[in-house]
Amino acid sequence: MTGWLAPVLAGAFWAGILLWPTGRAFATIWELLVAGLVLLAVAAWLAPTRAPVDPLVRAGVVDVDAPAALGEVAARRIPAARAPPGAVVALVVAAAILFGAGWSGFHELRIHSGLLARLAPVDATVEGSLATDPEPGSLGWSATLRAGTVRSLDPETGADVVQRTSETVWLEGFGDPPRAARGDRLRVVGSVEVPDGPFATTLGRNGVAVVLSADETTVLGPSTNPLVRATQAVRSTLLRHLLALFPERRAGLLMGLALGETSHLDPGDEEHFRATGLGHLVAVSGENVAMVLAPLLGLAVLLRLSARGRFLIGLGTVVFFVVLTGAEPSVLRAGVMAGFALVGGLLGRPRSTATLLGAAVLVLLVSNPDLVWSVGFQLSVAATGGMVALAGAIADRLAFLPRPVAMAAGTTLSAQLGVSPLLLAYFHAVPLVTLLANLLAFPAVSPALLFGLAAAAVATVFSPVAHLLAWVASVCVGYLEALADRLASAPLPSITSGGGVVPIVVGFGVVVGLVWWFRARGPERRRVPKPALVVAGVVVSLFVWSSAIGAGPPGGLRVRFLDVGQGDAALVTAPDGATVLIDGGPDPQQVATDLAALGVKRLDMVVATHPHLDHFTGLAAVLARYPTDLLLDTGCPLPETHSLQYRAFLTAVGQEHVRERHPVRGDVFRVGELRLDVLSPDRCWSDTNSDANNDSIVLLVSDGTDRVLFANEPEASAQQVLLDDHLPIRAAVLNVPHHGAGTTIAPFLRAVHETVAVVSVGPNTYGHPVPWVLDALRASGARVFRTDRSGDVTITFTAGGLLVQTGHGRQLELAGGWAS
């Protein structure tokens, strides 16, 4: 197998899997597989065959490169090909694409024909083992469960029937998650259903066809697999020793560095690492495999073990580490690559890294086609591919640096180039501080990990040495913490995008061009043509100019209601540059990314209106990335639901050293030209339908006579208090209360006299917004905009009235503005 064949076949098979959802309309699974076999057979028939080497050549009597006089021997040695090599390669690639599509369809059919998928909907008792740790959510908890046995009632006889199965289900329940970890055995009594809509598509791409809603969950004990039990013991022992040797925050970070275990990772550290592009350090990857494998192989060499002994130690280490870390996609990729490398070394036939990567990807996709939809797997392959293609070439261009520094820079830059198109597509931003952060973090990562693990291992044998090793590791971990903390809010811009397929196509096109340029060899390096340089200079200049114009302060008061789905987030800016963010939406990262795209560098004030997840979840990332002067929050008693998450958010506020205030009715805040009047709450409400909603901060934001009312989520009783006390709620723009829910009263909507009403809403099961609220708003003369239909809604106060721009390109000028 040549160096390029494995990556090409893996890419073709990958493409086939991606094409299956479309291809199913044109061909069946078996038609695709048979067509692939036919193309492969044709390619084999057309491919040139290698005749036996002539005995004279083998004996060295005749030179293999003999001149034309020995043409007869050469003719016997190299027969004529039936087709050009390019045609044969094209047929093989086409066959791999067809195989990928057919195999993906077969895999999908197998998943959806499982026992539970056939029985659903049904009430059942399911026993199995956890594939992931239970994760708390907004309404309860969830996990994935590998089902083993199913007990249900036979619909015809009514008798209990116990059946065996081997399928993965999505497990969810209310309340606190069970005290269990990945690998533990559970008995779950509940209902099994086949989901529909986007959720079903998402689950299907993770190899799951049914949802098991738990009514009762019993932990049966640890895994019956001795290898899994051993890894569980190692994880718990490692965590116990790290907590004994390090402060809890640093122990949690070390668990992330070593095993990708983030359950004990401080939320502030997690945000800082994510904001600086260092998040991959706490998401276990191939780097972890290499750092664990290398010392053990070095020890095997020192012990002068045979090649077979080194192979067994290496392979055992890889398998154990893959199971220990939960077989994350990135670790699977690295583990299979390491396994192939060990086999090649044992056989005395080492392969190039590109061949190992291609072979590993191909084997993993055959075993589980759903991996193509895993963002972690995509990022792992892209980063490794970038390093294979560019790391050495970039390091050669940096020959003026010391070789270790040049290699570190080449590795970091190439990996970042490989993953950037995917980051832009999925997460919409790549902070430019990432390169600097990774270069500065590089020297400390390996010492922190190795000394930390060594300290935990020695702790039970000789405590003084363990504490010495822990001190060294602690210095390195502290350095990483401080680095991420400082650089997270560095005033460096980010490359942003709207997501979708465009960043992938354009981004990887740029990467291919860079590979072509950097990998040029010989005395004459490839030079970019002067016309291309001119075009690039013009494009960059226009980009910088347009970005600077877009990032500058507006000509009048501007409020941008961000489309965050079912939640709230709005950015208020004034002509003097004053900037206020009100709420952060339900997604942990979206608002922080949106602010980067808007050119925001700092925030004067952030308002967390009330402790519901759809309003405050995104604020932790915002505070980690943007210097903030002041945070407003209610300070009222927390509801039982969401209290844990909101307390974690308040802890993050303290870690970022942001000033905090709990405003009440009558408080006035001034931010530059902006005036913010707090109209509610007048007290912390109790014994109402939703105390948290009624405690919501209601703000009247004004710049002179330009006014915007952020009603947020007070319900009918709190709204009536605002009316009864004749508070100044009239405004030109209204943030409609509670996403347009029926908890609003019509007199409140009529009293605002708004010109524009914005409903911040997304897909939901609550019926928001209710029709009568929309009718009442329109009856009052207001123009109504919904973020789920219009995208971002940006309203700018001008001399002639209001300028409304939507994320879908619509623009309206509304005369009048606010009427006093």
Side-chain angles (χ1 to χ4, degrees):
M1 183 180 291
T2 60
W4 54 265
L5 186 56
V8 169
L9 290 179
F13 196 82
W14 189 310
I17 297 172
L18 294 177
L19 290 173
W20 163 247
T22 304
R24 76 175 78 209
F26 303 98
T28 66
I29 296 171
W30 299 112
E31 288 171 343
L32 290 168
L33 293 175
V34 170
L37 284 173
V38 170
L39 288 182
L40 197 59
V42 172
W45 181 76
L46 292 176
T49 57
R50 187 175 297 275
V53 178
D54 191 276
L56 295 176
V57 175
R58 183 182 296 112
V61 175
V62 178
D63 188 0
V64 293
D65 296 321
L70 298 175
E72 184 180 350
V73 176
R76 289 202 307 271
R77 188 165 47 85
I78 306 176
R82 296 188 180 96
V88 176
V89 171
L91 287 171
V92 173
V93 169
I97 292 174
L98 293 174
F99 282 140
W103 188 248
S104 178
F106 182 77
H107 176 73
E108 182 182 273
L109 179 65
R110 183 180 62 81
I111 290 173
H112 290 279
S113 60
L115 172 65
L116 288 169
R118 297 196 309 270
L119 291 176
V122 67
D123 292 330
T125 300
V126 179
E127 292 187 10
S129 59
L130 284 172
T132 61
D133 294 332
E135 292 285 344
S138 58
L139 298 176
W141 57 274
S142 61
T144 52
L145 181 79
R146 293 193 183 95
T149 61
V150 178
R151 180 186 296 272
S152 61
L153 293 179
D154 187 298
E156 296 181 358
T157 65
D160 269 349
V161 178
V162 178
Q163 302 178 76
R164 298 286 303 175
T165 186
S166 178
E167 55 192 301
T168 303
V169 303
W170 180 259
L171 175 62
E172 59 184 22
F174 292 99
D176 295 329
R179 298 177 62 86
R182 180 177 64 238
D184 287 344
R185 293 177 296 117
L186 264 62
R187 178 186 297 120
V188 181
V189 179
S191 58
V192 179
E193 295 181 351
V194 176
D196 54 15
F199 186 51
T201 302
T202 301
L203 290 182
R205 290 179 174 179
N206 286 277
V208 176
V210 298
V211 174
L212 173 58
S213 299
D215 297 324
E216 179 184 339
T217 303
T218 306
V219 180
L220 300 178
S223 173
T224 56
N225 186 311
L227 179 59
V228 174
R229 284 204 309 274
T231 59
Q232 288 178 321
V234 169
R235 289 171 69 89
S236 60
T237 302
L238 178 61
L239 178 59
R240 185 173 67 253
H241 288 175
L242 289 177
L243 287 172
L245 291 168
F246 299 90
E248 182 176 3
R249 183 173 178 180
R250 293 190 177 178
L253 183 51
L254 274 170
M255 284 293 291
L257 292 173
L259 303 178
E261 171 62 70
T262 59
S263 60
H264 293 81
L265 185 62
D266 181 83
D269 286 339
E270 189 171 13
E271 290 298 341
H272 293 153
F273 273 66
R274 185 183 291 117
T276 52
L278 296 174
H280 64 93
L281 296 180
V282 292
V284 67
S285 64
E287 185 178 5
N288 300 72
V289 175
M291 284 192 288
V292 170
L293 183 59
L296 291 176
L297 288 180
L299 179 61
V301 171
L302 288 176
L303 295 176
R304 298 183 178 180
L305 296 182
S306 65
R308 182 170 297 181
R310 295 194 298 271
F311 168 77
L312 293 175
I313 287 179
L315 187 62
T317 300
V318 169
V319 171
F320 188 85
F321 190 77
V322 168
V323 177
L324 179 66
T325 55
E328 292 290 333
S330 57
V331 180
L332 279 175
R333 189 272 311 157
V336 175
M337 280 186 69
F340 281 146
L342 290 168
V343 171
L346 178 65
L347 299 178
R349 302 183 65 183
R351 296 297 184 182
S352 68
T353 309
T355 298
L356 295 175
L357 175 62
V361 170
L362 188 58
V363 167
L364 288 171
L365 292 184
V366 170
S367 65
N368 182 10
D370 292 325
L371 284 173
V372 299
W373 308 109
S374 166
V375 177
F377 186 70
Q378 294 174 22
L379 291 172
S380 176
V381 173
T384 307
M387 288 187 286
V388 169
L390 282 171
I394 293 175
D396 291 341
R397 299 296 182 100
L398 299 176
F400 57 90
L401 296 173
R403 188 60 182 174
V405 177
M407 284 302 301
T411 301
T412 300
L413 185 58
S414 59
Q416 188 62 51
L417 286 171
V419 301
S420 288
L422 296 174
L423 295 176
L424 290 172
Y426 293 124
F427 308 111
H428 312 299
V430 175
L432 292 183
V433 75
T434 295
L435 294 177
L436 177 62
N438 277 277
L439 285 174
L440 294 177
F442 180 78
V445 175
S446 295
L449 173 61
L450 296 177
F451 280 101
L453 292 178
V458 174
T460 56
V461 180
F462 195 51
S463 180
V465 173
H467 281 86
L468 178 61
L469 295 172
W471 179 84
V472 177
S474 186
V475 171
C476 297
V477 172
Y479 167 77
L480 293 174
E481 284 180 341
L483 178 69
D485 186 15
R486 298 294 185 273
L487 293 183
S489 55
L492 292 177
S494 297
I495 302 172
T496 59
S497 80
V501 72
V502 174
I504 294 179
V505 175
V506 175
F508 282 120
V510 172
V511 172
V512 170
L514 290 173
V515 171
W516 170 82
W517 183 55
F518 272 109
R519 290 181 68 88
R521 296 184 180 278
E524 287 291 330
R525 298 287 191 183
R526 288 191 178 116
R527 295 181 179 179
V528 180
K530 290 184 178 180
L533 287 174
V534 172
V535 171
V538 171
V539 170
V540 170
S541 298
L542 288 174
F543 175 78
V544 172
W545 175 77
S546 61
S547 298
I549 294 297
L557 176 63
R558 175 180 293 167
V559 56
R560 184 186 301 267
F561 295 91
L562 301 175
D563 178 17
V564 294
Q566 181 65 14
D568 261 296
L571 180 69
V572 181
T573 51
D576 65 347
T579 307
V580 176
L581 177 68
I582 300 175
D583 282 333
D587 186 271
Q589 301 299 319
Q590 180 187 342
V591 171
T593 302
D594 288 346
L595 295 182
L598 295 170
V600 174
K601 298 295 187 297
R602 62 180 304 279
L603 294 167
D604 297 293
M605 180 185 291
V606 169
V607 182
T609 59
H610 65 291
H612 279 167
L613 288 168
D614 57 336
H615 289 253
F616 76 82
T617 301
L619 292 181
V622 168
L623 296 178
R625 301 186 191 190
Y626 301 95
T628 302
D629 291 340
L630 180 65
L631 173 82
L632 303 184
D633 68 271
T634 64
C636 290
L638 297 176
E640 288 301 320
T641 57
H642 314 329
S643 61
L644 182 62
Q645 296 93 327
Y646 197 71
R647 286 193 178 94
F649 161 66
L650 294 179
T651 299
V653 172
Q655 291 176 347
E656 301 301 332
H657 308 293
V658 178
R659 290 188 301 126
E660 186 180 2
R661 289 280 300 274
H662 307 308
V664 294
R665 177 199 291 182
D667 287 347
V668 178
F669 297 89
R670 291 192 177 273
V671 180
E673 296 179 0
L674 293 179
R675 173 184 170 120
L676 291 86
D677 289 89
V678 180
L679 307 183
S680 186
D682 60 335
R683 62 187 182 276
C684 289
W685 291 70
S686 61
D687 300 324
T688 65
N689 181 56
S690 176
D691 295 341
N693 281 343
N694 287 323
D695 291 339
S696 177
I697 298 173
V698 176
L699 286 175
L700 181 67
V701 179
S702 58
D703 180 8
T705 59
D706 300 334
R707 299 186 183 182
V708 181
L709 180 65
F710 287 92
N712 300 313
E713 291 199 0
E715 299 191 348
S717 53
Q719 291 177 19
Q720 189 62 53
V721 169
L722 291 170
L723 295 175
D724 292 343
D725 292 350
H726 305 289
L727 294 177
I729 62 174
R730 298 186 68 179
V733 178
L734 170 65
N735 164 229
V736 178
H738 203 174
H739 320 293
T743 54
T744 292
I745 56 177
F748 179 84
L749 299 178
R750 292 194 296 267
V752 179
H753 293 281
E754 68 279 355
T755 303
V756 174
V758 179
V759 184
S760 186
V761 68
N764 65 89
T765 58
Y766 311 114
H768 299 164
V770 297
W772 78 258
V773 169
L774 299 179
D775 293 341
L777 289 167
R778 295 187 182 108
S780 69
R783 295 294 297 267
V784 180
F785 295 87
R786 298 170 49 166
T787 56
D788 61 337
R789 296 182 178 178
S790 298
D792 290 359
V793 178
T794 304
I795 303 167
T796 306
F797 287 79
T798 67
L802 301 176
L803 175 64
V804 182
Q805 298 169 294
T806 69
H808 297 166
R810 189 181 180 192
Q811 179 170 308
L812 299 94
E813 293 187 15
L814 304 177
W818 176 70
S820 60

